[in-house]
Amino acid sequence: MLILIGLSLAAGFGTALAARRWPQHRVGCERVAGILLLSALTLLGIGLAGILRF
């Protein structure tokens, strides 16, 4: 679970940095970065809920 969260966060931040490098693809990169960061936060919430349950 931690590996998935870390990979999602890293991919989200990497995609956000790519948006700065290639301005012509900025909108698409920002959308992908937002989706990846949102999925990482969702995974983090699911993981915390599982830990706090026990």
Side-chain angles (χ1 to χ4, degrees):
M1 186 70 151
L2 290 175
I3 293 172
L4 285 175
I5 293 169
L7 286 174
S8 294
L9 286 173
F13 285 121
T15 308
L17 291 175
R20 303 184 96 199
R21 178 172 287 203
W22 295 292
Q24 67 270 23
H25 300 296
R26 188 177 63 103
V27 174
C29 286
E30 287 177 349
R31 281 188 191 149
V32 172
I35 290 169
L36 287 169
L37 292 174
L38 186 62
S39 67
L41 289 175
T42 303
L43 286 172
L44 184 62
I46 291 169
L48 284 176
I51 290 171
L52 294 175
R53 184 176 173 185
F54 294 108

